Amino acid sequence: MDSEVRRLFDDLLKGRGVTPGQFNLSASPATTTTVSSAGVSSGSVVTLIAHSNAAMSDIVRVIPSKNQFIVTHTSSTTTRTFRYVYQTGNL
């Protein structure tokens, strides 16, 4: 078995998982966006990647909680798209 595939199976057996997704920040005047994603918990680590040029420096803070995370961000009238991945489990 390929070593990367083996590592992914081992992580799943240990209760670790990585799940990707995408979201847009809420438009002005909003400064928070709630992203629903089953499996997120308060112990999750959420990593964001700007997918649009307008989004490069807009994130202030990310707070994970049960089945969602809240993104605090600057206000803007342009669409700002992010991709994310979160990891939950024994890190």
Side-chain angles (χ1 to χ4, degrees):
M1 179 182 301
D2 180 68
S3 63
E4 181 65 13
V5 172
R6 178 76 173 154
R7 186 189 62 77
L8 291 171
F9 278 127
D10 287 344
D11 283 349
L12 288 173
L13 289 171
K14 293 176 184 174
R16 299 180 201 153
V18 177
T19 307
Q22 180 173 307
F23 69 96
N24 292 319
L25 294 180
S26 299
S28 189
T31 57
T32 61
T33 299
T34 300
V35 180
S36 296
S37 190
V40 174
S41 71
S42 60
S44 295
V45 175
V46 180
T47 303
L48 305 177
I49 301 116
H51 187 60
S52 60
N53 289 336
M56 296 306 287
S57 61
D58 292 337
I59 301 297
V60 176
R61 163 178 58 188
V62 178
I63 303 170
S65 59
K66 185 176 182 179
N67 294 323
Q68 69 180 13
F69 57 93
I70 299 169
V71 181
T72 303
H73 52 83
T74 58
S75 160
S76 177
T77 57
T78 60
T79 300
R80 298 161 297 164
T81 303
F82 284 83
R83 290 183 175 163
Y84 69 87
V85 63
Y86 71 86
Q87 185 167 1
T88 299
N90 301 321
L91 304 176

